[in-house]
Amino acid sequence: MARPPLYPLRFDPIFTTNLWGGRRLPAYLNRAVGHDDPVGEAWVLSDVDGSPSRVTDGALAGRTLRELLADAPERVVGAAKAPQGRFPLLLKFLDARQELSVQVHPNDQQAALLGPGKFGKTEAWVVLDRDPATSRLYAGFAEGVCASAFRTALAAKTTPATLHSFTPEVGDCVFLEAGTVHAIGADLLLFEVQQTSDITYRLYDWDRVDAKTKQPRQLHIDEGLGCADFGRGPCRPVRPSAAADGAARHETLVSCEYFTLERRTGAAPFRAGAADACRAVVCVGGSGALEWGGNSYPLRTGDVYLLPAEVGAVTAVPATELTLLECGLPA
């Protein structure tokens, strides 16, 4: 039986309720949620067990990302790997009204000890909005902080003082390898790309109590200390060099063994994606459309399209100046 052709794919966002979350994400993604609880995250491309992304529209509407990979992984990821049949990246938006916990994630080797199908979490953030008076990012240890000093700070509840922190600017990108102790501060809107993993170890949670349970959230001190890389100092924003790429300004933000992250900005039509390669295109500014195969796919801020390898490159046609983040899979 012939398989239906692939095309630029949008997926239904998966909204999560978090005590630290805000209410900006439904409007940012042009979607409604049926409650008034704080929404901290919107998973816009997920192959995490129990949280599968489903195609929004077109002939494949309702199919999960896992099902598309099961049919023929090379049509989706091309020459890249899909470990254990999973899409290797998780893409999300975060709206932090309050600080997230000080936390750390394991690397692949540490995660594998937890059982089959477990992966580490290397990630990158891009700042979409912030309050210059209240927002801070915490990334890596401050200069001179050693393991014993960090353990002392945990006991004394002075953990944030041991971390490198700064007031971010809109557009900043921070790359966090697994093992980097970090936290997202208050009043921040971020995009995040990461490995397909949901393993988080909380080390400190600002001494707050969950309003629903009336209890502090669980900490994972032993597990977190076992994963923390005490040799890693401050993680500062990436300083990419910009270059012209046709009609667009092109910046390479991250290139690591798990993903690539680029930013393209232009007011005239420009290319997005690459031939025979899988890319995810994320609109973080402006509006317009993606054109491919004689069809036009609307593009607004907050929209995310997966471009399967079978689709390859598309043309971004701005209605206003358009800023796209492009996430790729190393072959």
Side-chain angles (χ1 to χ4, degrees):
M1 182 181 295
R3 297 186 179 98
L6 298 178
Y7 49 91
L9 299 168
R10 287 195 305 170
F11 294 84
D12 297 329
I14 301 166
F15 293 104
T16 70
T17 299
N18 309 84
L19 65 84
W20 44 263
R23 290 294 302 179
R24 290 186 286 184
L25 288 179
Y28 189 85
L29 271 66
N30 307 295
R31 303 294 181 100
V33 294
H35 59 76
D36 295 323
D37 294 332
V39 176
E41 299 186 357
W43 293 17
V44 290
L45 192 61
S46 166
D47 200 9
V48 174
D49 285 341
S51 299
S53 287
R54 293 186 180 274
V55 178
T56 299
D57 40 32
L60 296 170
R63 298 286 298 277
T64 68
L65 183 55
R66 183 80 58 87
E67 289 170 342
L68 297 179
L69 283 167
D71 281 349
E74 69 280 357
R75 297 178 69 202
V76 178
V77 300
K81 296 178 181 178
Q84 301 187 31
R86 300 183 188 204
F87 192 77
L89 299 182
L90 170 61
L91 276 57
K92 61 173 73 169
F93 292 97
L94 296 95
D95 177 18
R97 185 177 58 85
Q98 302 176 21
E99 295 86 351
L100 275 69
S101 60
V102 175
Q103 57 190 242
V104 67
H105 311 293
N107 60 32
D108 284 345
Q109 293 73 33
Q110 293 161 340
L113 298 176
L114 300 176
K118 300 294 185 182
F119 301 99
K121 185 177 174 183
T122 287
E123 63 190 293
W125 302 326
V126 177
V127 178
L128 304 177
D129 195 17
R130 58 80 170 104
D131 184 325
T134 58
S135 299
R136 294 191 72 77
L137 287 177
Y138 302 80
F141 293 111
E143 296 283 2
V145 172
C146 63
S148 62
F150 185 68
R151 290 183 174 90
T152 298
L154 285 176
K157 299 185 178 182
T158 58
T159 308
T162 66
L163 301 180
H164 169 67
S165 67
F166 60 95
T167 299
E169 299 292 336
V170 172
D172 277 353
C173 174
V174 182
F175 174 57
L176 299 165
E177 293 183 85
T180 305
V181 177
H182 60 274
I184 294 170
D187 303 315
L188 277 160
L189 185 68
L190 303 179
F191 169 76
E192 179 178 305
V193 54
Q194 58 161 93
Q195 291 176 260
T196 293
S197 173
D198 198 27
I199 306 172
T200 295
Y201 296 135
R202 294 190 199 104
L203 294 165
Y204 177 73
D205 201 31
W206 309 91
D207 303 318
R208 63 186 157 199
V209 172
D210 188 320
K212 289 187 176 180
T213 67
K214 310 302 181 185
Q215 298 292 325
R217 293 195 298 171
Q218 181 182 2
L219 300 180
H220 316 92
I221 302 299
D222 292 339
E223 299 94 328
L225 290 176
C227 293
D229 184 350
F230 290 103
R232 184 165 298 141
C235 291
R236 298 181 172 87
V238 173
R239 297 301 179 197
S241 58
D245 182 9
R249 180 176 184 264
H250 174 233
E251 301 164 276
T252 297
L253 303 178
V254 177
S255 181
C256 70
E257 64 178 300
Y258 300 109
F259 56 82
T260 59
L261 179 60
E262 300 169 282
R263 180 165 51 208
R264 287 183 170 85
T265 305
F270 60 90
R271 191 181 80 158
D276 302 317
C278 181
R279 297 285 188 268
V281 173
V282 182
C283 182
V284 295
S287 62
L290 298 180
E291 293 187 350
W292 177 83
N295 295 310
S296 182
Y297 299 84
L299 194 60
R300 297 181 293 179
T301 299
D303 281 341
V304 178
Y305 281 90
L306 179 67
L307 306 179
E310 185 176 280
V311 169
V314 300
T315 300
V317 181
T320 61
E321 184 175 77
L322 197 58
T323 299
L324 302 181
L325 299 175
E326 187 173 307
C327 307
L329 305 175

